[in-house]
Amino acid sequence: MDRRRVNGPPGGTTPPCYASTSSGKTHPSSKRTRGANEIRKIFLKTGLTPSASGSAYFELETPPTNHSNSLTNRTPALKLTCTVHGPRPLPRSAPFSPQLLLSTRVKFAPFAARQRRGYIPDSSERDLAAHLETALRGVLIGERWPKSGVDVVITVLEGEEDCPWHALAAGNQNGRTGGWGMMSILSGCITVASAALTDAGIDCVDVVIGGVAAIVRQPAAPAQLVLDPCPSDHEEIIAACVIGYLQSRDEVTETWAKGNITASSDGMGTTPMGFDALVDQAVEAAVAARRVLVEAIREGTEAKIQGSQIDFHAIGAALNIKENAARMRFYRLRKAIEEGEPGATPTKAATTPTKRKKDQANSDEGSAKKVKDEEVVDEAEGGEEGEGN
Amino acid sequence: MAIKPTPSTTTPHPPTFPAHTFAKLAPPTYLTAHLTSKGGPIRPSGRSPTQFRTPTCHAGSLTHAHGSAVVRCGDTAVVCGVRGEILRAEDVADYRPKAVEEEERVDMEMHSFQKVTKEKREDSEEMACLGLLVPNLELATGCSPTHLPGGPPSTLAQTLSQRILTLLHTSNLLSIHDLRIWFRPPASPPTRQGQEHEVMGEEEEMAKAEVKAFWVLYIDILFISLDGNPFDAACLALLAALRNTRLPRAWYDADRELVLCSDDPAESKQLHLYDMPVPLSFGVFEGDEEAKGKKWILADMDGFEEGLCRENITIVVGEEKRVVRIEKDGGGSFGGRDMRGLVELAGQRRMEWIMILRNGLP
């Protein structure tokens, strides 16, 4: 018993038991309405928690429900918030670390799932956090912050379900205790954490995006490969795979596959469905999600730039160029970002207006704000060579 | 707002500080400078001392909760979810059923306000005894750099949870009538032949309706972002979520000895809120060394101001500016005379909140 929280009645309580489900009467399950190659719409926004270094909110589109006449089988939409704190100095007691220490935490809100979840972290949350850490560690340029740490905290406000509701109610989960919903949640976590890290201005080699693909089978139909499976849409999921993908470098930082992949290639389908195909499809899903991520980062950065008045005079003075030249460089860079290929440039620009402290400051040029803006131009001149390492 | 130290002989240009550097270096001076500015006292956020932030509220966005709300108040953002679970009366240790009738609820609405007050208080006591309201407030979501997860809930989180629990019980916001699940055995049992004999023997006893179970409301309040005044934001989220709560119709199934619920949304019932207790938190700022003896009352403080005020006051007002609760700590510069004005102000805020709650809900 946790004495530091308000506890429920000592006798214990049970979640409501619905008459319709316990009597075996079921509603028809929802069906996937989008194509096999389509992912759900994503809403992504950065900067929701101003006091954190970086933050982002992620939401998947609410699936259309054609039977909203029941309280039991409303389909949830994945909702995540992420905050990034740091980089900040490690406590004095901590041993020396030449790299940025990353710590990730994933927590489900008590109302995130059908069963009320407690406040004490459970194994699935620790599992998600470990996977997320692997995915993010590969993109952070850790050696730029020795002796520092960064915390990535994700709260799952609403999770994804593991299987169709009627199967859950009937107690028949097809042996699907594995938690397919976790796969989508991890993919969302990777994307939202990436957006928040960029918002915090922590240098990354690229943005990492999560993608999920699964091999599913409807009754009396051959197995099929789909992107971004919503577990409550599918009768049976045979295997699923989550990846964390860097598009501009074509690298994968995290892979998590589950299920029986060989079982699907039993000659029923014509397309190959091995592990490679599954990963390829997950990459496809990640590429599709990337556009949303880049757009969200761009919006967030624009809001930041507009929020701060740029003093081109000071920038010009610092760079030994005329005020107008500084202004032109800035707009040229911005134009390049807006029109350019969604490769390295936007992410780079997004990481530049950071809260990094430069000591070559301020006595003659003026404010810290000016220094911040100066970096935008500064690093644009530096080009992309500095990016990759 | 900039400060210019006396120029030394070596540097031709004295260093100037932008406002936020000044605020970090000398917070009390910074705030005092704002409050003593020529155009009348104004806070760094641009508000006047007694002006509060206008909240926004969005209800019913969570699927798995019976009621939910998202509230944003300046840079403080809160999500509240209310979820009902069932407590069976037989699971309550030494539960003594009170002599209440199911019909009482109908009568109650006809009673005058004063008569009902005593009953309400008794109801609240019973609710507290049974533990039917379980509010928990979680700050460890990374909502601010000082509240990171890992470890037990912070002192602030524990205090706030307890304050909300107390407010729920003292304000008589909810009535236990909404949370009781009744069982009324059929008056004439011959429909079921197998059981006829048994039921006939106990007819005297069984004909009376009895409370078989209760709804327990788990109220979870999560902070997404924290910039001062967590209590007020949490309360608004709580009120909005409770207003949004619809509990399914529940009944006791004697054959299966289970409480069953109906999944038909049309049969679900909204919780009845008997009052709308609205809190307003203030801080008393005493100025820096130069402004000795002066004090300012700052309503609805943000995170920066909260760090500078030692004396905090929270006034909760209910209907017709009835003071539900006053909480005060940290100093003695503020007396009963000043309190009257604050109650007035809290009353104004209540009207504003009620408008927001009405418009923010479908």
Side-chain angles (χ1 to χ4, degrees):
Chain A
M1 184 164 150
D2 190 350
R3 294 200 173 277
R4 284 169 291 209
R5 292 195 169 88
V6 183
N7 293 290
T13 57
T14 50
C17 170
Y18 289 97
S20 61
T21 51
S22 62
S23 64
K25 186 183 106 192
T26 56
H27 297 274
S29 72
S30 58
K31 284 275 178 297
R32 188 180 169 108
T33 45
R34 60 210 149 89
N37 286 325
E38 272 177 68
I39 62 166
R40 282 171 281 181
K41 289 202 185 82
I42 298 172
F43 175 79
L44 189 62
K45 192 170 163 45
T46 58
L48 262 84
T49 309
S51 53
S53 318
S55 58
Y57 174 76
F58 175 97
E59 187 174 332
L60 279 182
E61 114 187 83
T62 317
T65 30
N66 40 12
H67 39 261
S68 55
N69 57 346
S70 167
L71 291 175
T72 53
N73 60 358
R74 283 187 293 174
T75 324
L78 185 61
K79 294 185 181 70
L80 307 167
T81 68
C82 176
T83 53
V84 171
H85 297 275
R88 51 178 175 190
L90 290 173
R92 280 176 165 277
S93 56
F96 172 77
S97 154
Q99 290 213 332
L100 182 67
L101 279 187
L102 171 71
S103 89
T104 51
R105 286 201 184 85
V106 178
K107 185 84 199 83
F108 283 86
F111 41 72
R114 244 169 235 285
Q115 300 289 323
R116 186 170 185 273
R117 299 187 81 120
Y119 281 101
I120 313 291
D122 65 9
S123 62
S124 65
E125 289 164 344
R126 285 195 295 268
D127 205 14
L128 278 175
H131 281 290
L132 178 66
E133 190 181 338
T134 330
L136 297 181
R137 178 159 291 157
V139 286
L140 285 177
I141 308 174
E143 52 273 25
R144 291 199 187 164
W145 283 278
K147 299 187 276 181
S148 350
V150 62
D151 288 282
V152 176
V153 187
I154 291 185
T155 309
V156 183
L157 293 177
E158 197 161 285
E160 187 132 278
E161 288 186 292
D162 288 342
C163 59
W165 169 235
H166 63 85
L168 189 73
N172 166 31
Q173 297 192 21
N174 281 341
R176 303 186 358 162
T177 45
W180 300 108
M182 296 276 282
M183 311 294 267
S184 300
I185 294 174
L186 176 62
S187 155
C189 283
I190 293 173
T191 310
V192 75
S194 185
L197 280 176
T198 316
D199 187 43
I202 296 172
D203 290 358
C204 300
V205 294
D206 188 11
V207 285
V208 57
I209 326 129
V212 203
I215 301 171
V216 298
R217 185 160 54 198
Q218 296 293 359
Q224 196 190 2
L225 254 174
V226 293
L227 304 189
D228 189 19
C230 177
S232 51
D233 284 354
H234 301 288
E235 277 304 310
E236 190 185 353
I237 297 181
I238 301 166
C241 173
V242 194
I243 56 153
Y245 181 64
L246 314 181
Q247 195 187 9
S248 63
R249 298 161 68 100
D250 194 25
E251 283 176 6
V252 169
T253 54
E254 156 75 15
T255 320
W256 185 23
K258 233 198 279 211
N260 191 350
I261 294 170
T262 48
S264 60
S265 53
D266 51 0
M268 288 221 282
T270 47
T271 47
M273 284 193 193
F275 177 72
D276 290 347
L278 197 59
V279 171
D280 283 346
Q281 292 298 300
V283 165
E284 201 96 325
V287 169
R290 185 186 164 116
R291 238 178 293 149
V292 183
L293 177 61
V294 168
E295 183 66 18
I297 291 170
R298 199 173 65 89
E299 273 171 22
T301 314
E302 264 175 16
K304 267 189 209 166
I305 290 173
Q306 274 161 18
S308 60
Q309 286 288 319
I310 301 172
D311 189 342
F312 288 108
H313 181 74
I315 296 169
L319 293 175
N320 266 333
I321 53 173
K322 286 196 179 122
E323 188 184 336
N324 281 339
R327 182 176 287 124
M328 275 188 64
R329 279 192 199 183
F330 170 74
Y331 286 113
R332 209 167 57 217
L333 169 69
R334 202 167 78 175
K335 205 171 159 212
I337 294 170
E338 276 166 9
E339 290 175 354
E341 40 92 32
T345 338
T347 59
K348 164 162 180 49
T351 51
T352 33
T354 61
K355 291 165 188 134
R356 254 191 291 156
K357 282 174 188 61
K358 264 196 179 172
D359 290 329
Q360 56 128 122
N362 9 30
S363 54
D364 26 11
E365 288 96 47
S367 70
K369 202 193 280 169
K370 288 169 195 164
V371 174
K372 203 196 294 173
D373 297 327
E374 173 188 309
E375 279 181 30
V376 178
V377 178
D378 210 340
E379 299 214 357
E381 295 301 306
E384 286 177 16
E385 308 89 69
E387 179 65 22
N389 40 44
Chain B
M1 180 65 43
I3 186 165
K4 289 191 180 179
T6 47
S8 68
T9 48
T10 46
T11 48
H13 302 293
T16 56
F17 301 107
H20 59 262
T21 313
F22 182 23
K24 279 226 167 78
L25 286 175
T29 320
Y30 179 69
L31 187 54
T32 316
H34 269 93
L35 292 171
T36 51
S37 62
K38 280 175 201 143
I42 191 141
R43 289 149 75 179
S45 52
R47 290 184 280 156
S48 73
T50 51
Q51 192 182 355
F52 20 78
R53 298 173 282 190
T54 305
T56 56
C57 169
H58 183 79
S61 44
L62 295 176
T63 315
H64 292 308
H66 288 119
S68 63
V70 182
V71 162
R72 191 169 255 283
C73 198
D75 281 340
T76 300
V78 193
V79 182
C80 176
V82 178
R83 172 173 262 185
E85 289 203 355
I86 287 161
L87 167 71
R88 297 197 302 175
E90 62 202 67
D91 286 341
V92 180
D94 57 65
Y95 172 66
R96 259 171 274 116
K98 267 176 68 184
V100 279
E101 268 299 309
E102 198 176 358
E103 283 75 22
E104 192 195 21
R105 199 188 136 67
V106 188
D107 300 341
M108 226 180 78
E109 281 158 20
M110 286 185 259
H111 279 302
S112 67
F113 177 76
Q114 280 81 3
K115 266 192 175 174
V116 173
T117 314
K118 188 169 164 273
E119 287 168 19
K120 272 196 196 160
R121 194 160 52 235
E122 282 168 7
D123 284 352
S124 284
E125 272 164 26
E126 197 186 344
M127 268 202 282
C129 257
L130 292 166
L132 299 186
L133 303 176
V134 191
N136 270 301
L137 191 139
E138 182 73 346
L139 286 174
T141 54
C143 61
S144 86
T146 44
H147 298 98
L148 287 180
S154 63
T155 325
L156 179 63
Q158 292 179 47
T159 322
L160 287 169
S161 295
Q162 287 301 330
R163 278 170 75 186
I164 283 176
L165 179 66
T166 321
L167 179 68
L168 278 170
H169 284 140
T170 52
S171 64
N172 304 323
L173 181 62
L174 295 167
S175 161
I176 197 169
H177 296 283
D178 284 336
L179 303 178
R180 287 190 179 119
I181 296 168
W182 288 89
F183 173 60
R184 180 177 288 280
S188 52
T191 44
R192 292 204 184 85
Q193 291 181 342
Q195 293 178 350
E196 191 175 352
H197 175 72
E198 189 194 328
V199 175
M200 285 295 277
E202 293 174 280
E203 196 182 7
E204 287 282 286
E205 206 182 311
M206 293 268 290
K208 225 169 132 192
E210 56 178 323
V211 179
K212 272 292 184 188
F214 299 94
W215 282 106
V216 175
L217 297 182
Y218 288 94
I219 302 165
D220 295 293
I221 303 169
L222 259 75
F223 275 78
I224 293 180
S225 171
L226 177 61
D227 182 30
N229 209 353
F231 184 69
D232 288 14
C235 278
L236 181 58
L238 170 81
L239 288 173
L242 284 176
R243 267 181 69 112
N244 178 249
T245 303
R246 293 190 79 89
L247 291 176
R249 187 173 72 85
W251 67 92
Y252 182 74
D253 189 313
D255 296 342
R256 297 160 71 187
E257 297 187 327
L258 259 179
V259 176
L260 292 177
C261 301
S262 151
D263 66 346
D264 188 358
E267 285 185 355
S268 65
K269 221 171 66 195
Q270 197 158 6
L271 273 183
H272 190 272
L273 299 191
Y274 289 88
D275 198 354
M276 194 63 82
V278 169
L280 180 53
S281 300
F282 302 89
V284 180
F285 177 63
E286 285 168 335
D288 64 346
E289 293 80 26
E290 290 167 25
K292 267 269 181 284
K294 279 194 175 178
K295 63 173 189 203
W296 289 272
I297 292 160
L298 306 177
D300 191 12
M301 291 179 292
D302 58 27
F304 171 72
E305 292 159 347
E306 242 171 26
L308 296 173
C309 294
R310 268 185 307 160
E311 192 171 350
N312 297 302
I313 308 147
T314 299
I315 298 178
V316 187
V317 288
E319 233 165 340
E320 293 162 352
K321 288 183 194 157
R322 183 174 58 91
V323 175
V324 177
R325 208 176 153 72
I326 292 178
E327 292 166 16
K328 187 174 173 306
D329 56 31
S333 66
F334 200 77
R337 198 179 294 275
D338 308 301
M339 205 69 94
R340 213 169 281 279
L342 295 190
V343 173
E344 199 69 25
L345 208 61
Q348 282 173 26
R349 188 191 211 195
R350 188 169 176 275
M351 300 309 288
E352 190 194 1
W353 273 31
I354 287 173
M355 292 296 288
I356 288 164
L357 283 173
R358 287 211 180 116
N359 297 336
L361 296 179

